[in-house]
Amino acid sequence: MQNVITIIISVLSASGILGIGTKAILTRLRNQETRQKAVESGVQALLRDRMLHNYNKYTELGYAPIYAKENFENMYQQYHGLGGNGVMTQLHADFMELPTEKENNA
């Protein structure tokens, strides 16, 4: 009988410790998820900012070199991969239509 009581007390103690441990783990996971979402939103905002900057810069120049278009395309794909909405879609299309070399007005 003593062994049964010892086993019951051990199980109850372990489940209490597991409950506390589980709560701590779940709290930590929630905090990590919140931070991860903040990081993703921040990266998305930075990508959007850089795309707008590049769009304005190269539109003013009247052309976008191939490397600039490749970079813009990569940023655009990552932006959408992070859940970016369609606001940048038209801007992306306009940017990609820019010529790759400056026009020679001779």
Side-chain angles (χ1 to χ4, degrees), residues 70-87:
E70 288 173 347
N71 187 45
F72 194 93
E73 179 65 28
N74 184 37
M75 287 189 293
Y76 179 75
Q77 294 303 321
Q78 303 317 311
Y79 173 80
H80 276 284
L82 290 168
N85 56 29
V87 172

Side-chain angles (χ1 to χ4, degrees), residues 34-102:
T34 299
R35 289 179 58 85
Q36 181 66 28
K37 285 181 183 178
V39 168
E40 289 174 8
S41 294
V43 169
Q44 184 180 351
L46 289 171
L47 287 168
R48 185 175 191 275
D49 175 71
R50 296 315 306 158
M51 285 188 291
L52 288 168
H53 171 79
N54 285 339
Y55 176 83
N56 291 331
K57 174 183 174 180
Y58 290 109
T59 299
E60 188 174 309
L61 288 174
Y63 73 101
I66 292 171
Y67 70 86
K69 286 186 172 190
E70 288 173 347
N71 187 45
F72 194 93
E73 179 65 28
N74 184 37
M75 287 189 293
Y76 179 75
Q77 294 303 321
Q78 303 317 311
Y79 173 80
H80 276 284
L82 290 168
N85 56 29
V87 172
M88 299 300 289
T89 301
Q90 185 60 51
L91 191 120
H92 170 262
D94 293 345
F95 186 88
M96 291 310 199
E97 289 179 9
L98 289 171
T100 56
E101 295 178 357
K102 188 175 185 176

Side-chain angles (χ1 to χ4, degrees), residues 18-47:
L18 286 175
I20 293 169
T22 302
K23 183 177 179 182
I25 290 169
L26 289 175
T27 299
R28 185 173 182 155
L29 286 173
R30 277 194 288 277
N31 290 341
Q32 285 178 335
E33 184 178 331
T34 299
R35 289 179 58 85
Q36 181 66 28
K37 285 181 183 178
V39 168
E40 289 174 8
S41 294
V43 169
Q44 184 180 351
L46 289 171
L47 287 168

